[in-house]
Amino acid sequence: MKKKTVGQKRLERIVYTLLAIAIVFRFTQAYMDMKFRHSVEMGQRPVPNFDWRDFDSEKRSFASIKNKVVVLHFWASWCGPCRVEFPAMLRAAKQLGDDVVFLTIAGDETAEPAREFLIKAKNAAGVKPDNMLYGWDPMRTLIFDTFQTTAFPETIIVDEDMMMRRKFMGRVDWEDPEILRYLRSLKKPADTKKDIEDTSTQAPEKQDTAKEKVAEVEKPE
Amino acid sequence: MVTLMSELRSAVSSCLHWLAGPRVVFYALPWLLVLLTLGTLSQRYIGLYHSEKLFFGSFILWLGFVPLPGAYATLCFLSAGLTAKLVLKSPMRRRTLGTVITHASVLMLLLGGLVSALTREEGYITIFPQEVVSFVSDYHEREVTVIKDGKEYQVIPYTALQEQDKLPLKDAPFTVNIKQKCYPCTAEPLGEADLGAYGMAAAMELKDAQPGPDDALNRAGAMVEIVGVSKEQAGRYIIFESLAEPPVIKAGGSEYKLLMRAAKRSLPFSVQLIGFEQENHPGTVMAREYRSGIQIKDGELQWKETVSMNQPMRYRGYTIYQSSFVDDGEKKASVLAVVKNAGWVFPYISVTLLSIGLLLHLFMRKAKKQTAVAALAALLFMGAPEAQAQQPPAFDYDAFSHIPLLHEGRIKPMESFARALIKSMSGDKQADNATAMAWLAEVLFNPAAAADRPLFVVRSPVLLSVMGLEKRKTERYSYSELVPALTGQQDNIGRLLEREPKSYSDSERELVRLFEMTGLYSELANSFSLFTPIEGISNPLRAELKLPPEGDLNFYSMLRVRYELGEKFKAIVATKKNNVSSYTPLEQDIAELSYKLDSREAMQRFNALLRVVPGEWSDKEEWLSPWQVIARSEGSPRSAQLFTLWQALQKAWKTRDAHTWKELSGKLQAETTGAHGADAFRLALEVAYHAISPLEKSRLGYGITILLALCAVALQRRWLLTATTAALVITIAIHGAAILARIMILGRPPVGTLYESMLFVSLLAALCGLYLCWKREGAEGALAGSIIGLGVLIFADIFARDGDTLEMLTAVLNTNFWLGTHVICITAGYSFSLITGVMAHFYLFRRAMAMPHEALAEHYKLLQTLALVALFFTTVGTMLGGIWADQSWGRFWGWDPKENGALAIVIWLAWALHGRISGHLRETAFAAVLCFTTIIVALAWVGVNLLSVGLHSYGFSDAAAWGLPMFCITEIVITGILAMLSAQQYKAIEISKARQK
């Protein structure tokens, strides 16, 4: 076998050194990634699992709303912009149908003004959508402590994977076709959903049906 | 006749041969250097345009009545010399091939310059979104435009205007007599109103003005008299650039408007702006990128293009590139520069040829191959303890120091943030013996105690006496001492802020800096003031607002009842107005609390310094301060969780609960690392970079190497040489690791700022020194490399601007390709030039010490090689810079001070090498000239920043203002003494040789 020259040996040494540096560097990086790996990837915002109460103080779980796009809306009856947008939101909910659920949480101190407003708003809108849920958070534990909402109204869009996609601060123009198109776009195609359901290993649990929701909707009245 | 012809031929031949000799270069280059220096210095006073016209764009330079050759004449002379050399004295042999190609490429570059000078047109387009433009405004030419009934009727160039003559109007029903014209000119008020004049002319007169440095602000104007119109309109008028209401004449049933404006040139195509975008570094107003979406329409052809920094568009000989933008408050207009230059391709060919030529020339020289010797010794200084003994901190700040935040457009760890602030405020690494992290925690969580810590540096005795403070040995004063003192100076500060910073005296500059720094400190100390307990909330009020009867309440916790509180207060005011005495105790409490919350919010809602919360809802990589989250309603479940952690951390710090502190800071680190570009590895690396301080260690290493090298040179012991080499290798490894760490942290080449270029130049010089040490088996190389390494690193430390040296780059520099090629090449040129200079000093020293002839001859040969290498890198680097400029700004050469500086080094080295060849520079003179290369490099590299003009003036610092002249004077004195001694020694040897003969 041909003997290596001094130059070749030197070159080899340099290559090995560089290789060693690269390996050390890569391992350090991998270790750091592992140490600080997040359950949340950048750009993904999982909605925290929370309970909410309706106007009769009945406790409900957000997690029970499954495979739906959710419009999470924080409002109060004394808030001007909330009052303006509510009827339009009701009409939008009706238009969007069963695929999108509107969960509205009122931050009023007392329930009565909020109930009264809801009746008026439904009358003004001329619709009583089945896909709208009405919650009440007088201590603002959900509104403030969990979602850190500091000004009403505020709307958070949650997709079918329970990821928060967008937040609207202030009034939303629910008559704008763009917003309806956006909400529909979050709905996964039926095939994809089926795949997910098939692969799901979770035990089947009782889900809120549209009929149950209708009952809830009627309660405040 | 025949004799005459042959004599003529012989004369022409000898003339051509004289031209072909190196002496042409020897005489022409210094003069070019003089022109270059004058042209560069004058830019500070008369601006680039006029300076370029005077020094770089003329055949004759008039010094009073004395005609001197201008730059064009000198360049023609050089071109003639080069042509003669190529034709007559350039035999195509293997050995001379490099020289021939180099000379040919320089000639091509000069030819390109000529073509550019003859064909170049440059101007700009200011265009609003959706606007369509098919003309270019000239930067310098002006014209008078006549608008008839709203349409352009006639255009007369400013140069065609003649005083006391008529304006050459065609078919106009009136005459315009030109009384006066001026460019640049100013309008000054008249002592008495001119009753025979109209508009601006009634109250103002035009006067010639000195050209200002910025040619765009030089205005053209003319005083005209209009006759042949109705009596009410006949009289004098002023036509002036940017006049809001230009003269309007009604005659012959039409309306004529007279305008003075920048000359316009038609484009053979039209440009429509689709949109303009400006992208800043997150959390700053520093531009990262500008871009314009444009649509080009040329006849039937129509297509879209994007023009951005470093990415121009070329079409039909025109280059359109992003220059700047105008914001009129409502919308932004993009300013596109348009350049037409037939000679643009010459530099590209020339730089390729020049690189090949110089490389060939360099490697065709006879080089003896030597084996390199590597020896590593014990680490003398790796384990050197920190200079100051530190008390072990009561808290573990490790995780806290790693928490990421956005500061100055970059995600950095708390450690860097704290260090940058301390450096800015106190000029130190520590605040009153507290580590950076301990200080930061104290300011954030116990601002009242931190305010008494002497932190701010005040040096000016005048300022101290004005503020009524006593001079202190430490020169450090606390926030609580300074605030009352500064309050008394509010009027002064207000007046100063209206003035140009350049006009400040030292004490005034320090006063403004103190004002800014205390403002910054206040912002920092209030970062978490939304968690600071609000005192005096009575129990009845708590009950009224349904708040817990016990425990601290702060602004943040009060947010949930803010509306109710506001409503209650409104109700009180509605019934009892401002009559506070009629309020019940509970009502008084409501009013007081409302006031406290409102005033705290009003003061802090713009507090945006401590951006520790990753923005959840924006598409951009935005981080927000706690106050911003509240003020902008950007809250989210994650930010709510972070707020809870920060509150708990504050509590742990206040109660001195070290265990909870460690746990919570670890949680905060884990929660925020990974979000929005906060890369864990980079953050850890940055904290380690600060902890190890590799540049400080490198300075120490170079110092040790210098001592060892001096001993090795003096004692000539082998083991000392080995130790020197080992010390230098270790130092270079540390220095290199520091630069590598910076590359990884910033994700870009290490030469974006002047400070970084200093780090890089010193490393390259040290590497070059190591190579020489290895190759020549002598300690001189190591000595030279270490001297430059230490000197430049010390200067870099002084030069480093306040705060963080790991900076983000402006839009034009934000390109890794050009930073990686041009800047690295030119900084390598600086390194080799410096090492050449230092080695030339050693040569003169050895010569003065009458070293053996063989050693001197070898050293002399080395100097030539080093000068050639330096010439190669500076020339190629400068030309690559020209190409970058062509890519970014549409022109290869703009006579910018930094460009001129780089060219000065090239000329200096070329002159020295040609002087040696022509025999004008003998050994001592050649070495002395090379010694001065260090001065040329210092002036070109750092000195031009002192002019504060041009496109490269981004690294100015006061520190250089005194250091540079000192360096130049020292160098001149040292070189002078060495050259004198060397010459004397040479003479003595010559005399003794003559005697022996």
Side-chain angles (χ1 to χ4, degrees):
Chain A
M1 201 176 145
K2 207 177 170 184
K3 206 179 168 186
K4 284 177 185 167
T5 63
V6 178
Q8 280 173 327
K9 277 183 189 168
R10 199 178 296 158
L11 193 70
E12 249 177 35
R13 239 176 287 155
I14 292 169
V15 170
Y16 287 140
T17 313
L18 288 176
L19 205 65
I21 292 171
I23 290 168
V24 169
F25 172 71
R26 188 69 201 93
F27 270 95
T28 320
Q29 217 172 20
Y31 167 74
M32 299 301 287
D33 280 355
M34 198 176 67
K35 194 174 167 192
F36 293 99
R37 180 174 296 158
H38 266 73
S39 52
V40 187
E41 291 297 317
M42 163 65 202
Q44 290 195 318
R45 300 173 279 256
V47 66
N49 192 10
F50 62 89
D51 293 328
W52 58 279
R53 288 174 191 275
D54 62 18
F55 279 89
D56 292 329
S57 291
E58 200 174 314
K59 196 172 166 183
R60 292 172 181 276
S61 168
F62 180 74
S64 62
I65 309 171
K66 282 201 171 153
N67 294 332
K68 304 273 181 197
V69 173
V70 181
V71 175
L72 189 55
H73 182 74
F74 301 115
W75 68 286
S77 65
W78 42 259
C79 144
C82 309
R83 296 175 76 94
V84 174
E85 78 171 318
F86 217 100
M89 186 167 68
L90 284 162
R91 283 193 292 271
K94 183 78 184 171
Q95 251 182 294
L96 287 162
D98 202 29
D99 288 338
V100 180
V101 173
F102 282 68
L103 172 55
T104 62
I105 309 284
D108 289 70
E109 264 187 312
T110 50
E112 214 42 50
R115 280 182 199 265
E116 280 172 19
F117 170 74
L118 282 174
I119 295 165
K120 280 182 193 165
K122 282 178 195 167
N123 290 336
V127 289
K128 290 176 183 175
D130 296 343
N131 55 336
M132 195 170 264
L133 309 174
Y134 304 93
W136 178 45
D137 182 21
M139 298 309 290
R140 293 178 203 156
T141 45
L142 178 65
I143 293 171
F144 185 72
D145 294 340
T146 308
F147 284 90
Q148 212 178 39
T149 296
T150 52
F152 293 128
E154 198 168 275
T155 310
I156 294 170
I157 312 294
V158 182
D159 68 14
E160 289 177 314
D161 296 327
M162 294 289 178
M163 291 290 166
M164 295 184 292
R165 299 290 287 259
R166 265 174 95 167
K167 169 166 147 167
F168 295 95
M169 292 155 240
R171 192 167 72 87
V172 177
D173 182 4
W174 294 103
E175 277 160 9
D176 182 357
E178 197 55 45
I179 184 82
L180 303 183
R181 210 173 299 139
Y182 170 69
L183 287 170
R184 282 192 189 106
S185 73
L186 295 178
K187 190 77 198 150
K188 280 183 185 165
D191 292 350
T192 325
K193 208 161 77 181
K194 194 169 174 290
D195 290 346
I196 294 165
E197 279 165 5
D198 290 347
T199 51
S200 169
T201 51
Q202 284 183 344
E205 72 184 70
K206 198 186 165 202
Q207 290 181 11
D208 286 354
T209 62
K211 278 178 189 171
E212 281 170 332
K213 275 179 229 143
V214 175
E216 287 157 12
V217 170
E218 297 305 320
K219 266 176 194 168
E221 297 177 30
Chain B
M1 189 67 190
V2 176
T3 325
L4 189 68
M5 280 302 286
S6 75
E7 270 180 15
L8 195 65
R9 199 176 296 149
S10 146
V12 168
S13 168
S14 58
C15 185
L16 284 174
H17 275 87
W18 185 86
L19 267 177
R23 61 184 74 77
V24 169
V25 176
F26 184 77
Y27 294 125
L29 288 187
W31 178 243
L32 208 57
L33 204 60
V34 171
L35 289 176
L36 200 63
T37 312
L38 291 175
T40 307
L41 293 177
S42 63
Q43 285 182 29
R44 186 178 170 85
Y45 307 100
I46 58 171
L48 176 64
Y49 176 64
H50 294 281
S51 161
E52 189 182 331
K53 259 178 41 175
L54 189 64
F55 293 102
F56 310 129
S58 60
F59 276 97
I60 298 169
L61 179 70
W62 289 97
L63 186 74
F65 294 106
V66 185
L68 295 169
Y72 280 173
T74 317
L75 290 172
C76 284
F77 181 53
L78 263 175
S79 306
L82 270 172
T83 315
K85 161 86 180 157
L86 280 169
V87 175
L88 299 173
K89 287 191 178 174
S90 297
M92 289 298 274
R93 293 199 198 108
R94 190 169 160 265
R95 206 174 137 70
T96 57
L97 190 63
T99 321
V100 174
I101 294 176
T102 307
H103 286 150
S105 65
V106 173
L107 192 63
M108 178 169 273
L109 193 66
L110 291 171
L111 193 69
L114 180 71
V115 176
S116 293
L118 294 174
T119 63
R120 191 177 162 79
E121 283 176 14
E122 58 179 19
Y124 63 94
I125 300 173
T126 304
I127 185 169
F128 281 94
Q130 306 314 321
E131 198 182 342
V132 181
V133 173
S134 57
F135 59 83
V136 174
S137 303
D138 196 279
Y139 284 115
H140 315 295
E141 301 295 324
R142 300 292 184 268
E143 64 188 21
V144 173
T145 307
V146 183
I147 309 280
K148 184 183 174 185
D149 297 328
K151 286 182 182 164
E152 196 172 292
Y153 175 64
Q154 195 179 346
V155 173
I156 303 141
Y158 175 82
T159 45
L161 305 185
Q162 296 293 329
E163 280 185 9
Q164 310 308 330
D165 202 352
K166 286 177 189 168
L167 195 70
L169 289 176
K170 52 180 181 186
D171 307 330
F174 57 88
T175 309
V176 180
N177 296 321
I178 303 158
K179 293 284 165 196
Q180 182 200 359
K181 66 163 192 171
C182 50
Y183 177 43
C185 62
T186 53
E188 288 181 8
L190 278 171
E192 279 180 27
D194 185 350
L195 298 174
Y198 297 92
M200 184 183 174
M204 311 285 274
E205 62 176 333
L206 294 181
K207 284 195 172 167
D208 282 317
Q210 284 297 317
D214 185 356
D215 198 48
L217 301 177
N218 291 327
R219 302 264 176 258
M223 170 76 84
V224 296
E225 188 182 39
I226 295 178
V227 289
V229 285
S230 63
K231 208 176 170 187
E232 301 79 46
Q233 296 184 94
R236 285 178 294 282
Y237 291 82
I238 282 179
I239 317 174
F240 197 60
E241 252 186 290
S242 311
L243 203 60
E245 288 177 18
V248 178
I249 309 295
K250 286 178 183 162
S254 295
E255 193 178 81
Y256 295 85
K257 200 184 271 183
L258 299 173
L259 298 174
M260 179 72 81
R261 66 181 191 188
K264 303 222 180 302
R265 281 191 303 273
S266 299
L267 282 171
F269 51 88
S270 69
V271 179
Q272 183 182 18
L273 182 70
I274 301 164
F276 171 74
E277 281 177 24
Q278 182 196 357
E279 193 183 313
N280 288 346
H281 286 291
T284 67
V285 287
M286 183 183 179
R288 179 157 66 183
E289 180 71 283
Y290 300 111
R291 70 178 80 84
S292 296
I294 55 171
Q295 177 156 292
I296 306 290
K297 196 173 177 192
D298 187 2
E300 294 297 308
L301 287 173
Q302 192 170 312
W303 72 100
K304 286 176 184 168
E305 290 272 357
T306 302
V307 176
S308 63
M309 282 281 170
N310 298 315
Q311 275 193 333
M313 190 215 82
R314 290 183 199 273
Y315 180 60
R316 290 182 67 170
Y318 288 87
T319 309
I320 300 178
Y321 60 97
Q322 186 69 56
S323 173
S324 58
F325 70 95
V326 180
D327 192 349
D328 72 352
E330 283 178 21
K331 52 190 174 178
K332 283 179 183 166
S334 178
V335 181
L336 302 170
V338 182
V339 177
K340 189 181 182 189
N341 178 11
W344 72 273
V345 78
F346 283 85
Y348 289 80
I349 304 168
S350 180
V351 73
T352 315
L353 281 177
L354 191 79
S355 312
I356 297 168
L358 279 173
L359 275 177
L360 280 175
H361 184 52
L362 203 59
F363 287 106
M364 290 297 175
R365 293 163 65 84
K366 202 175 170 187
K368 201 166 81 181
K369 199 159 189 172
Q370 288 185 352
T371 49
V373 179
L376 290 176
L379 303 182
L380 284 168
F381 43 82
M382 277 297 278
E386 288 283 319
Q388 65 284 343
Q390 289 174 4
Q391 290 288 323
F395 280 85
D396 183 347
Y397 288 108
D398 183 53
F400 186 62
S401 67
H402 283 75
I403 294 173
L405 82 165
L406 179 73
H407 181 231
E408 292 174 342
R410 188 170 74 81
I411 308 291
K412 57 176 82 164
M414 282 280 185
E415 177 80 37
S416 292
F417 173 73
R419 279 172 182 263
L421 287 184
I422 291 178
K423 185 98 195 282
S424 304
M425 290 169 189
S426 75
D428 221 335
K429 273 189 286 182
Q430 292 196 321
D432 187 31
N433 289 329
T435 60
M437 293 323 297
W439 169 80
L440 182 65
E442 188 182 54
V443 176
L444 291 177
F445 303 134
N446 192 0
D452 292 331
R453 209 180 260 283
L455 175 74
F456 300 89
V457 62
V458 188
R459 293 207 170 94
S460 163
V462 179
L463 182 60
L464 285 171
S465 98
V466 167
M467 293 199 300
L469 294 170
E470 274 182 23
K471 189 164 171 58
R472 209 172 276 168
K473 209 175 171 185
T474 57
E475 296 178 330
R476 302 290 185 278
Y477 297 83
S478 71
Y479 180 76
S480 49
E481 283 172 306
L482 284 177
V483 168
L486 283 171
T487 312
Q489 297 299 315
Q490 263 180 350
D491 292 344
N492 271 342
I493 294 167
R495 277 194 292 273
L496 281 173
L497 291 175
E498 286 169 12
R499 271 171 45 195
E500 275 286 306
K502 279 180 191 171
S503 67
Y504 293 167
S505 67
D506 286 349
S507 56
E508 287 172 339
R509 190 174 299 121
E510 197 158 1
L511 178 62
V512 172
R513 191 187 59 80
L514 265 186
F515 169 71
E516 287 168 356
M517 286 301 129
T518 46
L520 194 71
Y521 181 91
S522 166
E523 206 175 344
L524 180 70
N526 278 297
S527 296
F528 288 125
S529 57
L530 75 172
F531 302 143
T532 308
I534 298 172
E535 304 295 333
I537 303 178
S538 62
N539 283 340
L541 182 55
R542 284 176 184 251
E544 179 74 15
L545 294 171
K546 294 179 185 160
L547 292 167
E550 282 177 354
D552 284 342
L553 291 169
N554 54 41
F555 182 91
Y556 182 57
S557 58
M558 292 301 293
L559 277 175
R560 76 177 71 219
V561 292
R562 191 82 192 275
Y563 173 77
E564 284 77 8
L565 182 73
E567 286 300 299
K568 285 182 200 302
F569 182 54
K570 268 190 217 161
I572 296 165
V573 173
T575 53
K576 299 188 175 176
K577 308 285 181 221
N578 287 338
N579 186 8
V580 183
S581 56
S582 66
Y583 289 9
T584 64
L586 178 65
E587 286 170 345
Q588 282 180 14
D589 286 350
I590 290 172
E592 196 182 330
L593 183 61
S594 282
Y595 171 75
K596 278 181 184 171
L597 293 180
D598 287 349
S599 57
R600 188 169 291 190
E601 188 181 18
M603 283 177 78
Q604 298 304 328
R605 59 180 292 114
F606 299 110
N607 188 327
L609 183 60
L610 193 83
R611 294 171 178 246
V612 286
V613 183
E616 195 82 275
W617 305 108
S618 169
D619 294 335
K620 292 176 190 164
E621 289 183 2
E622 199 171 21
W623 288 62
L624 304 164
S625 72
W627 275 105
Q628 279 182 308
V629 173
I630 300 304
R632 288 159 56 170
S633 293
E634 291 267 2
S636 69
R638 196 200 290 196
S639 63
Q641 194 190 351
L642 289 176
F643 272 50
T644 311
L645 285 171
W646 278 111
Q647 277 194 93
L649 192 75
Q650 185 184 43
K651 198 175 166 193
W653 200 87
K654 281 185 172 168
T655 54
R656 311 303 294 168
D657 182 350
H659 177 72
T660 313
W661 164 273
K662 190 178 173 183
E663 188 187 330
L664 288 170
S665 46
K667 270 189 188 171
L668 272 166
Q669 182 196 0
E671 279 302 321
T672 44
T673 305
H676 287 341
D679 181 69
F681 180 70
R682 281 187 185 181
L683 290 166
L685 189 66
E686 196 169 336
V687 174
Y689 176 83
H690 289 303
I692 297 166
S693 307
L695 291 173
E696 269 175 39
K697 301 244 173 356
S698 304
R699 284 199 291 271
L700 184 66
Y702 287 128
I704 292 170
T705 313
I706 289 171
L707 289 177
L708 286 170
L710 283 172
C711 294
V713 170
L715 304 173
Q716 293 292 318
R717 294 282 188 281
R718 181 86 201 164
W719 68 270
L720 272 173
L721 179 63
T722 311
T724 307
T725 316
L728 189 56
V729 167
I730 293 164
T731 308
I732 286 172
I734 299 168
H735 192 164
I739 290 179
L740 193 68
R742 294 177 71 95
I743 295 173
M744 285 176 177
I745 292 165
L746 295 169
R748 61 170 166 80
V751 279
T753 61
L754 197 59
Y755 174 81
E756 286 175 4
S757 76
M758 287 180 184
L759 304 188
F760 193 70
V761 165
S762 49
L763 177 71
L764 278 185
L767 271 169
C768 183
L770 180 67
Y771 175 74
L772 292 178
C773 179
W774 226 329
K775 195 172 158 64
R776 292 164 52 80
E777 296 195 5
E780 288 89 355
L783 187 60
S786 306
I787 287 173
I788 299 168
L790 182 65
V792 177
L793 279 187
I794 289 175
F795 196 68
D797 196 44
I798 300 168
F799 194 86
R801 283 189 290 180
D802 288 348
D804 198 359
T805 61
L806 292 152
E807 292 173 59
M808 299 313 285
L809 298 181
T810 51
V812 71
L813 290 172
N814 212 356
T815 151
N816 281 351
F817 176 73
W818 289 111
L819 277 184
T821 51
H822 155 67
V823 187
I824 284 184
C825 207
I826 196 79
T827 42
Y830 292 157
S831 301
F832 283 105
S833 301
L834 287 175
I835 206 112
T836 310
V838 176
M839 288 305 279
H841 283 75
F842 292 170
Y843 175 78
L844 284 182
F845 181 77
R846 293 177 105 187
R847 218 174 141 80
M849 294 291 116
M851 291 282 177
H853 179 72
E854 294 74 30
L856 279 177
E858 201 185 324
H859 199 144
Y860 189 64
K861 211 171 153 189
L862 175 74
L863 282 187
Q864 295 166 38
T865 311
L866 282 175
L868 254 179
V869 176
L871 180 66
F872 168 76
F873 278 108
T874 39
T875 310
V876 175
T878 306
M879 292 188 72
L880 282 174
I883 290 174
W884 183 6
D886 186 55
Q887 294 281 326
S888 305
W889 303 316
R891 92 290 182 275
F892 177 75
W893 199 260
W895 301 108
D896 179 86
K898 199 82 179 177
E899 293 172 347
N900 294 351
L903 184 62
I905 303 176
V906 174
I907 292 177
W908 185 259
L909 290 167
W911 178 63
L913 287 165
H914 285 87
R916 192 195 66 80
I917 297 166
S918 68
H920 287 86
L921 297 175
R922 305 295 289 269
E923 283 88 343
T924 305
F926 178 65
V929 165
L930 289 186
C931 282
F932 289 131
T933 312
T934 52
I935 295 179
I936 306 282
V937 171
L939 291 175
W941 183 21
V942 183
V944 289
N945 293 291
L946 294 171
L947 291 172
S948 298
V949 289
L951 297 158
H952 291 80
S953 61
Y954 41 75
F956 176 72
S957 162
D958 289 344
W962 61 267
L964 203 62
M966 288 300 292
F967 170 74
C968 294
I969 293 166
T970 317
E971 265 293 64
I972 291 168
V973 171
I974 291 174
T975 310
I977 293 170
L978 284 175
M980 213 167 64
L981 290 174
S982 166
Q984 274 177 2
Q985 191 62 40
Y986 179 73
K987 245 182 209 168
I989 293 167
E990 291 292 304
I991 291 166
S992 79
K993 270 184 190 170
R995 276 182 190 159
Q996 275 173 11
K997 274 181 188 172

